[in-house]
Amino acid sequence: MVARSSEVRPTAVRRSATPRAGGRRGRRAGRLAGLGFSGAALLVLLTGCDVGAAFGGFGWPQGGITPEARRMYDLWIASCVAALAVGFFVWGLIFWCIVRYRKRGNELPVQTRYNLPMEFLYTIAPVLIVSVLFYYTAVVQTDVVKTTNNPDVTVEVVAFKWNWQFNYRDGQGVDAETTASVLGTSEVIPILVLPTGRSIRFEETSRDVIHSFWVPEMLFKRDVMPGSIRNVFEVSSLETEGAYVGRCAELCGSYHAFMNFELRVVSPENFDRFLAAKQGGASTQDALTSIGEEPYATTTRPFETRRTESNFNPDTAPAGTGS
Ligand SMILES: [Cu+2]
């Protein structure tokens, strides 16, 4: 068998080197290159379109409430569409080869090697695809992490085991003053009230270990570090009023899973009234009630740490525990 296959290979190389085969190969390479460029063009065109809605966002959370969230969503959808286009092209080639070159006898098919245009193509095409993906990722990422000099609202996020404090600040940086504050307790979920249509700067600091500030509808989370590291990010606007659950997204200890807060997005007028009430000494609940909002969190509730009959089963507990 070995002798037979080595007899065939030189024939194959000679056959594929004929002018006719070379022309066909050139045309095919041209078609492949055209498809590659079309894919790249498609990616450009699709950036900004919401084609993902029909496919459940391709697994990406939908319903982002900031322009940054929508840009990240669009990047994900465009990347999925581009990946699928490449995938269908490759799957097509595979199935075409399976059918076209299925075994018809004992003779080996043409063994094409050192086909330079082909090797050039399958080196250049992936580099092009990765470059396009890299370019758009860099553009969107730069936009998402961008900070400005004059945000409309600055909020200091203070994380601690296992709750949150939100300080409304009169400026930026560690030297600014806190003008009003919302503090979470074991009984009351902290509510971070923010306005629509204004840029918001989040300055994060932790009192103990690493936490992570995460509102799923922002499609963004950022670690909250202890010590002198002050992580900062901004959203250019919150677009939809409503209540959104916020979570700690960094395993920080026993009650990490219950370290929730609520983001309450209200109109700018109501936000100003809320902040004025807080600055005047009102409690968060009274200030919320004064602008017609629910005084307590509606998206999550405090974790019950005490054992009661409903959450404690003495039958399965080790002897000596209970009561
Ligand atoms: Cu935490």
Short mmCIF file of all heavy atoms in Angstrom, two decimals, residues 159-162 164 209-212 248-253 256 259, ligand 1:
data_model
loop_
_atom_site.label_atom_id
_atom_site.label_comp_id
_atom_site.label_asym_id
_atom_site.label_seq_id
_atom_site.Cartn_x
_atom_site.Cartn_y
_atom_site.Cartn_z
N ALA A 159 -18.27 49.17 49.60
CA ALA A 159 -18.69 47.79 49.84
C ALA A 159 -18.05 47.29 51.12
O ALA A 159 -16.93 47.68 51.47
CB ALA A 159 -18.27 46.91 48.67
N PHE A 160 -18.79 46.47 51.84
CA PHE A 160 -18.23 45.84 53.05
C PHE A 160 -18.98 44.54 53.27
O PHE A 160 -20.07 44.33 52.72
CB PHE A 160 -18.34 46.78 54.26
CG PHE A 160 -19.75 47.24 54.56
CD1 PHE A 160 -20.55 46.56 55.46
CD2 PHE A 160 -20.27 48.36 53.92
CE1 PHE A 160 -21.84 46.99 55.73
CE2 PHE A 160 -21.56 48.79 54.17
CZ PHE A 160 -22.35 48.10 55.09
N LYS A 161 -18.39 43.66 54.06
CA LYS A 161 -19.05 42.38 54.33
C LYS A 161 -20.22 42.61 55.27
O LYS A 161 -19.99 43.00 56.41
CB LYS A 161 -18.08 41.38 54.95
CG LYS A 161 -17.00 40.92 53.96
CD LYS A 161 -16.30 39.67 54.41
CE LYS A 161 -15.17 40.00 55.35
NZ LYS A 161 -14.32 38.80 55.65
N TRP A 162 -21.49 42.39 54.83
CA TRP A 162 -21.91 42.04 53.52
C TRP A 162 -23.03 42.97 53.11
O TRP A 162 -24.19 42.60 53.09
CB TRP A 162 -22.39 40.57 53.49
CG TRP A 162 -21.27 39.60 53.51
CD1 TRP A 162 -20.56 39.17 52.42
CD2 TRP A 162 -20.70 38.93 54.63
NE1 TRP A 162 -19.58 38.29 52.81
CE2 TRP A 162 -19.65 38.13 54.17
CE3 TRP A 162 -20.95 38.96 56.01
CZ2 TRP A 162 -18.86 37.34 55.01
CZ3 TRP A 162 -20.18 38.18 56.84
CH2 TRP A 162 -19.15 37.38 56.33
N TRP A 164 -23.79 47.36 51.42
CA TRP A 164 -23.31 48.48 50.61
C TRP A 164 -23.67 49.81 51.25
O TRP A 164 -24.69 49.92 51.94
CB TRP A 164 -23.95 48.45 49.22
CG TRP A 164 -23.76 47.20 48.45
CD1 TRP A 164 -24.53 46.07 48.52
CD2 TRP A 164 -22.73 46.91 47.49
NE1 TRP A 164 -24.05 45.12 47.66
CE2 TRP A 164 -22.96 45.60 47.03
CE3 TRP A 164 -21.65 47.64 46.99
CZ2 TRP A 164 -22.14 45.01 46.07
CZ3 TRP A 164 -20.84 47.05 46.04
CH2 TRP A 164 -21.07 45.74 45.59
N VAL A 209 -12.59 43.29 51.98
CA VAL A 209 -12.03 42.41 50.94
C VAL A 209 -12.49 42.90 49.57
O VAL A 209 -13.16 43.92 49.46
CB VAL A 209 -12.48 40.95 51.16
CG1 VAL A 209 -11.97 40.43 52.48
CG2 VAL A 209 -14.00 40.83 51.07
N ILE A 210 -12.13 42.15 48.53
CA ILE A 210 -12.54 42.54 47.18
C ILE A 210 -14.00 42.15 46.96
O ILE A 210 -14.38 40.99 47.15
CB ILE A 210 -11.67 41.86 46.11
CG1 ILE A 210 -10.20 42.21 46.33
CG2 ILE A 210 -12.11 42.29 44.71
CD1 ILE A 210 -9.26 41.48 45.37
N HIS A 211 -14.82 43.12 46.59
CA HIS A 211 -16.20 42.86 46.17
C HIS A 211 -16.31 43.26 44.70
O HIS A 211 -15.31 43.66 44.08
CB HIS A 211 -17.18 43.69 47.01
CG HIS A 211 -17.08 43.43 48.49
ND1 HIS A 211 -17.80 42.43 49.11
CD2 HIS A 211 -16.35 44.02 49.46
CE1 HIS A 211 -17.51 42.44 50.41
NE2 HIS A 211 -16.63 43.38 50.65
N SER A 212 -17.51 43.16 44.15
CA SER A 212 -17.69 43.62 42.77
C SER A 212 -19.09 44.19 42.61
O SER A 212 -20.08 43.56 42.97
CB SER A 212 -17.48 42.45 41.80
OG SER A 212 -17.59 42.91 40.46
N CYS A 248 -23.33 41.70 44.47
CA CYS A 248 -21.88 41.58 44.55
C CYS A 248 -21.50 40.42 43.63
O CYS A 248 -22.09 39.35 43.70
CB CYS A 248 -21.43 41.29 45.97
SG CYS A 248 -19.64 41.07 46.08
N ALA A 249 -20.52 40.64 42.75
CA ALA A 249 -20.16 39.62 41.78
C ALA A 249 -18.77 39.05 42.05
O ALA A 249 -18.13 38.50 41.15
CB ALA A 249 -20.25 40.20 40.37
N GLU A 250 -18.28 39.21 43.27
CA GLU A 250 -16.97 38.65 43.61
C GLU A 250 -17.13 37.90 44.93
O GLU A 250 -17.55 38.50 45.92
CB GLU A 250 -15.95 39.79 43.76
CG GLU A 250 -14.55 39.35 44.11
CD GLU A 250 -13.85 38.66 42.96
OE1 GLU A 250 -13.80 39.23 41.87
OE2 GLU A 250 -13.36 37.54 43.16
N LEU A 251 -16.82 36.61 44.92
CA LEU A 251 -17.01 35.80 46.12
C LEU A 251 -16.22 36.42 47.28
O LEU A 251 -15.01 36.47 47.28
CB LEU A 251 -16.53 34.37 45.86
CG LEU A 251 -16.67 33.41 47.04
CD1 LEU A 251 -18.11 33.32 47.52
CD2 LEU A 251 -16.14 32.04 46.68
N CYS A 252 -16.96 36.94 48.27
CA CYS A 252 -16.30 37.74 49.32
C CYS A 252 -16.50 37.16 50.71
O CYS A 252 -16.02 37.72 51.68
CB CYS A 252 -16.82 39.17 49.27
SG CYS A 252 -18.60 39.30 49.44
N GLY A 253 -17.20 36.04 50.83
CA GLY A 253 -17.37 35.45 52.15
C GLY A 253 -18.71 34.73 52.26
O GLY A 253 -19.43 34.56 51.28
N HIS A 256 -21.89 36.33 50.78
CA HIS A 256 -21.69 36.99 49.48
C HIS A 256 -22.95 36.97 48.63
O HIS A 256 -23.34 37.97 48.04
CB HIS A 256 -20.52 36.31 48.76
CG HIS A 256 -20.58 36.41 47.28
ND1 HIS A 256 -20.29 37.58 46.60
CD2 HIS A 256 -20.92 35.51 46.33
CE1 HIS A 256 -20.43 37.37 45.31
NE2 HIS A 256 -20.82 36.15 45.11
N MET A 259 -25.55 39.69 49.28
CA MET A 259 -25.08 41.08 49.33
C MET A 259 -25.71 41.86 48.18
O MET A 259 -25.06 42.28 47.23
CB MET A 259 -23.55 41.07 49.21
CG MET A 259 -22.91 42.36 49.63
SD MET A 259 -21.12 42.15 49.64
CE MET A 259 -20.63 43.82 49.27
CU CU B 1 -19.09 41.12 48.22
#
